[in-house]
Amino acid sequence: MPHLKSTIPPEGGKDLSLASTVELNDGFRMPRLGLGVWETQPNVCEEAVLASFEVGYRHIDTAASYDNEAEVGSAVRKTTVPRSTLFITTKIWDDDQGYDSTIAAVQDSLKKSGLEYFDLILLHSALPGKESRLESWKALEYCVDKGWIRSIGVSNWAAKHFEELKATSPKIRPAVNQLELHPFLQQRPTVEYCFSNDIVVQAYSPLTRGQLLNNETITRIANSKGVDEAQVLIRWSLQKEDDMTALDALDNGYLTGSWGEGVNPLNAE
C-alpha cells in the first residue's frame, strides 16, 4: 500500500491542498504532500502513481531499495501531467554510500526510471558512518553539477550528522531531512535543529503504518471533526493548531519498526 509523505512546517496554516508547496533552501519548491511507494509492489506501482496524478498528487517518493523506480518512471512518462509540474524523489541506499558508489547509484536510478533528472535525491540514512556520509554528500554535489539532480538532502539524520557535514563547508546545504514522524514519535530535537537551519522536515509513515489509527485520542478528535483517523494524523503533520496539544501529548518514542525492532537511524554514529 502506498504511504503518504508530508512536510512539517515550523508554523501551521489552514489553506492547504495537494497544490500547496514549500520553498527549499536552494530555491526549488516541493509539494507539501506526496505519495510514498515503499512496500508498493512493482506490478501495481505504476497504476497507483498514475491514479495519484489523476487526483492531484504531484510528488512521488521512491527509492532504490523499494525496487519500483522503473514503474514510477514509466508512470511519469505515460501521464499527461507535464514533467515540469511533477516532483520525483529517490534515495541512495546505505550499501551504495561512498563517493564512487553513490555516483553509480544515481546513474543506475536514472537508467531504471528512464528520467532525465530527479527533483530530489536523499541519502537513505546515517547508518553507514561518518566517512561514507561525507563522501556520499560530495558525490551528490557532483551529480547536481552534472544536472542529474536538482535538490539534495538526507533521510534519518540527527543534528550531530548535520554538524559533521557543516564542518566540511559543503558547496550545497541539505535541503530536506526525511524522518519517521507522527504524534507518537516527534523527534523534537532533530525537528527543531532543522527548522533553525532552514532544512525542510518531511515525515514518512505519518499514519504509523496503520498501527495506531485506533488510538483513543486520535479517534476522539476524528469524531469531533467529522473526519477519519488518517486525516487527523496527516493534519498533524501539515498544521499545528486546534487539537494539536492533545496530539503532541501522545509522544512516547513509538517506532513502527521500519528499520527493525527498536532501531532509530538517528542514533547512528
Side-chain angles (χ1 to χ4, degrees):
M1 177 180 178
H3 295 253
L4 291 172
K5 308 281 174 141
S6 52
T7 301
I8 307 280
E11 67 282 322
K14 292 184 178 180
D15 298 326
L16 297 167
S17 70
L18 286 174
S20 298
T21 62
V22 60
E23 185 173 358
L24 305 180
N25 60 27
D26 56 13
F28 290 107
R29 300 197 70 87
M30 180 175 73
R32 290 276 298 277
L33 191 65
L35 183 72
V37 293
W38 178 51
E39 292 187 333
T40 306
Q41 297 300 315
N43 63 325
V44 297
C45 181
E46 180 180 313
E47 181 182 354
V49 173
L50 285 170
S52 75
F53 291 155
E54 289 181 8
V55 298
Y57 283 89
R58 293 297 179 262
H59 183 184
I60 304 298
D61 180 287
T62 182
S65 65
Y66 299 174
D67 196 29
N68 53 25
E69 290 174 316
E71 288 70 25
V72 169
S74 179
V76 170
R77 293 191 300 277
K78 288 183 178 181
T79 185
T80 58
V81 177
R83 173 67 180 94
S84 60
T85 68
L86 300 177
F87 194 98
I88 310 300
T89 298
T90 194
K91 308 177 194 72
I92 304 299
W93 180 235
D94 292 351
D95 292 345
D96 294 324
Q97 290 197 33
Y99 188 82
D100 291 336
S101 52
T102 291
I103 293 173
V106 171
Q107 293 174 321
D108 187 55
S109 291
L110 288 167
K111 181 178 180 180
K112 285 181 179 178
S113 66
L115 301 177
E116 294 182 0
Y117 66 92
F118 283 99
D119 297 273
L120 175 66
I121 288 188
L122 310 175
L123 299 181
H124 213 135
S125 88
L127 289 171
K130 179 179 179 180
E131 182 178 353
S132 288
R133 290 192 294 267
L134 297 181
E135 289 300 310
S136 298
W137 190 257
K138 291 179 182 177
L140 290 184
E141 292 178 327
Y142 170 83
C143 293
V144 171
D145 287 342
K146 297 291 289 184
W148 301 336
I149 317 170
R150 290 188 169 178
S151 300
I152 54 178
V154 298
S155 184
N156 301 294
W157 274 33
K160 63 182 178 181
H161 306 127
F162 288 105
E163 287 298 302
E164 289 173 351
L165 179 62
K166 184 186 293 186
T168 69
S169 300
K171 294 190 299 181
I172 303 175
R173 293 183 296 151
V176 173
N177 188 16
Q178 189 181 107
L179 311 168
E180 179 176 346
L181 283 174
H182 42 71
F184 307 92
L185 183 68
Q186 298 181 31
Q187 314 219 64
R188 296 178 188 180
T190 300
V191 171
E192 291 170 2
Y193 176 90
C194 291
F195 288 165
S196 298
N197 288 273
D198 197 21
I199 299 167
V200 167
V201 175
Q202 188 180 43
Y204 70 77
S205 298
L207 303 183
T208 70
R209 299 171 67 195
Q211 295 173 12
L212 298 176
L213 285 178
N214 61 351
N215 174 269
E216 181 179 344
T217 300
I218 302 295
T219 299
R220 175 181 60 79
I221 293 173
N223 290 339
S224 72
K225 300 295 183 183
V227 298
D228 62 35
E229 288 83 354
Q231 287 174 293
V232 171
L233 290 175
I234 290 299
R235 180 57 64 168
W236 179 86
S237 294
L238 295 172
Q239 177 185 322
K240 296 281 219 163
E241 41 192 79
D242 299 332
D243 289 298
M244 298 306 164
T245 300
L247 292 172
D248 285 349
L250 295 174
D251 191 10
N252 60 9
Y254 183 88
L255 289 160
T256 62
S258 301
W259 292 84
E261 186 175 353
V263 177
N264 188 340
L266 272 69
N267 296 327
E269 295 300 325

